[in-house]
Amino acid sequence: MDPLVATAVHALGDHPSVPQPASPPDFPSKLWAIADLHLSYKGNREAWEKLQPKPNDGLILAGDVGESAEHLRIAFTQATACFKHVFWCPGNHELYTMPAQKEAGARGEDKYMECVEIAREFGILTPEDDFMLWEGEGEICIIAPIFTLYDYSFRPAHVKLEDALDWAREENIEATDEYLLHADPHTSRIEWCNALLARTEAKLEATLAKHPGAKLVIAGHWPLREDLVKLPLVPRFCLWCGTKKTEDWHKRFNAKVVVSGHLHIRRTDWRDDTRFEEVSLGYPRQWQDCQDRGLDVNDILREILPGPSTGPPEPRSTTQWRKFG
């Protein structure tokens, strides 16, 4: 079983591209986000069917929609029926090559590009597309979906890279990625991560050069900062949660908001006047308390833009837990 289950129950293109303006909304629009829909679960599929229309708003799907093309199409069909603009970035689950596909299924970059092509069937913007200039309610921002992966650098200083997997296994922790997420044509997920980071940095730098002073909404599946990865029951799962190389990206790339998922622990944090939003739904048992209170997937959607009217709380490292949305 994915170790994030226990944690959440406990926790309460190669060339840089530049933004193109979005079509003006009919009235001031908002931007929302959700991640980790995990539509392989019947309960989550049924919940997603209850998504309510916000026809002039936008929605970020920040990874882990599911493992198959069918899951993607279910998610994208409903999202595009309800929202004017939809953005998607991959999580680890979209990249899985399932055992039944072992011989003929796409792997690594090919699996990722299959997902991108499905998103494009629905007019959804991905990390492979130009970033969008968002002119909805509040401050004008550039919406930047990204794909970064992880490199096992979220680990204590005394643990060497070559010992990292054994360190996690000492606590019976090992991500399913080690068996289903392949790096082809790269030699390892670390190598793939490094290539993704180089491409993404170039794209973000080109965007700011084109739009000096612009604020960004950076949306990816994995957290950009290690200090936002708090997994009380399975702390050693941190290995699969990001890379230290993105620690300062919110400052380097002038982020107004950073959106992520993956942890299955909903929260809002502030760092350096940047708002960080973990927006995951999670497996059905992880948000059963919400359903018991009469809440549904619409209550879990997080408002990204314009967002709260007040600034960060004091002290600025304070976390706002979002168990109920």
Side-chain angles (χ1 to χ4, degrees):
M1 178 179 291
D2 192 317
L4 290 183
V5 173
T7 303
V9 169
H10 174 83
L12 296 173
D14 292 334
H15 301 286
S17 38
V18 296
Q20 298 297 321
S23 301
D26 296 330
F27 57 83
S29 55
K30 294 184 177 184
L31 179 66
W32 306 82
I34 194 167
D36 299 81
L37 295 177
H38 292 289
L39 296 181
S40 57
Y41 289 86
K42 182 174 181 288
N44 281 13
R45 292 196 301 275
E46 292 172 347
W48 190 239
E49 292 174 358
K50 298 177 183 178
L51 186 68
Q52 297 174 357
K54 299 181 185 293
N56 289 287
D57 290 0
L59 178 66
I60 295 168
L61 296 173
D64 277 9
V65 164
E67 296 80 25
S68 70
E70 178 188 8
H71 297 150
L72 287 173
R73 290 192 169 96
I74 291 171
F76 296 162
T77 297
Q78 190 72 3
T80 54
C82 293
F83 288 84
K84 185 173 185 178
H85 300 289
V86 181
F87 308 85
W88 167 83
C89 49
N92 49 313
H93 280 248
E94 282 98 336
L95 303 175
Y96 284 175
T97 302
M98 303 304 287
Q101 304 169 316
K102 184 176 180 180
E103 300 302 325
R107 295 163 56 104
E109 284 190 353
D110 287 344
K111 180 64 187 292
Y112 167 56
M113 290 308 301
E114 278 190 1
C115 296
V116 168
E117 291 307 315
I118 293 171
R120 287 173 171 170
E121 291 174 14
F122 291 84
I124 291 173
L125 295 180
T126 78
E128 302 305 307
D129 298 305
D130 293 346
F131 295 153
M132 175 182 281
L133 192 64
W134 183 263
E135 300 179 282
E137 187 176 344
E139 184 177 8
I140 294 174
C141 290
I142 294 169
I143 313 304
I146 65 170
F147 173 28
T148 55
L149 264 177
Y150 51 82
D151 61 3
Y152 306 96
S153 59
F154 283 4
R155 65 183 193 275
H158 71 274
V159 177
K160 297 179 181 179
L161 175 59
E162 58 267 30
D163 299 327
L165 288 178
D166 288 338
W167 171 75
R169 289 167 182 153
E170 286 173 0
E171 300 292 335
N172 296 315
I173 301 300
E174 185 170 23
T176 306
D177 296 16
E178 295 300 315
Y179 304 94
L180 299 182
L181 201 169
H182 306 287
D184 307 36
H186 304 280
T187 59
S188 67
R189 283 181 289 278
I190 294 176
E191 182 183 290
W192 192 8
C193 175
N194 289 335
L196 290 167
L197 292 173
R199 290 184 61 200
T200 305
E201 284 180 303
K203 187 173 181 178
L204 292 168
E205 288 168 354
T207 297
L208 290 183
K210 179 75 172 181
H211 298 271
K215 287 285 189 177
L216 270 62
V217 173
I218 300 176
H221 184 66
W222 292 272
L224 292 189
R225 293 177 57 89
E226 185 178 16
D227 62 359
L228 299 180
V229 179
K230 305 296 183 185
L231 304 170
L233 290 188
V234 285
R236 298 189 185 192
F237 191 79
C238 60
L239 284 183
W240 295 274
C241 292
T243 167
K244 291 182 178 180
K245 294 176 181 177
T246 60
E247 177 95 1
D248 66 346
W249 277 22
H250 65 293
K251 293 189 292 185
R252 282 183 59 194
F253 301 120
N254 205 26
K256 179 180 178 68
V257 190
V258 176
V259 179
S260 66
H262 191 58
L263 303 183
H264 295 198
I265 302 176
R266 292 183 291 279
R267 55 189 288 179
T268 299
D269 294 272
W270 292 85
R271 296 290 187 275
D272 306 303
D273 296 322
T274 297
R275 179 163 41 100
F276 287 76
E277 300 280 12
E278 207 282 0
V279 300
S280 55
L281 179 66
Y283 303 129
R285 62 177 288 193
Q286 294 174 326
W287 65 289
Q288 185 62 50
D289 285 351
C290 294
Q291 298 177 78
D292 291 344
R293 290 188 174 207
L295 305 177
D296 65 15
V297 70
N298 298 286
D299 300 297
I300 305 299
L301 294 181
R302 187 76 48 80
E303 182 181 315
I304 304 304
L305 295 176
S309 57
T310 58
E314 295 294 345
R316 294 187 179 187
S317 61
T318 298
T319 296
Q320 179 182 359
W321 299 105
R322 298 289 201 137
K323 182 176 182 180
F324 297 108

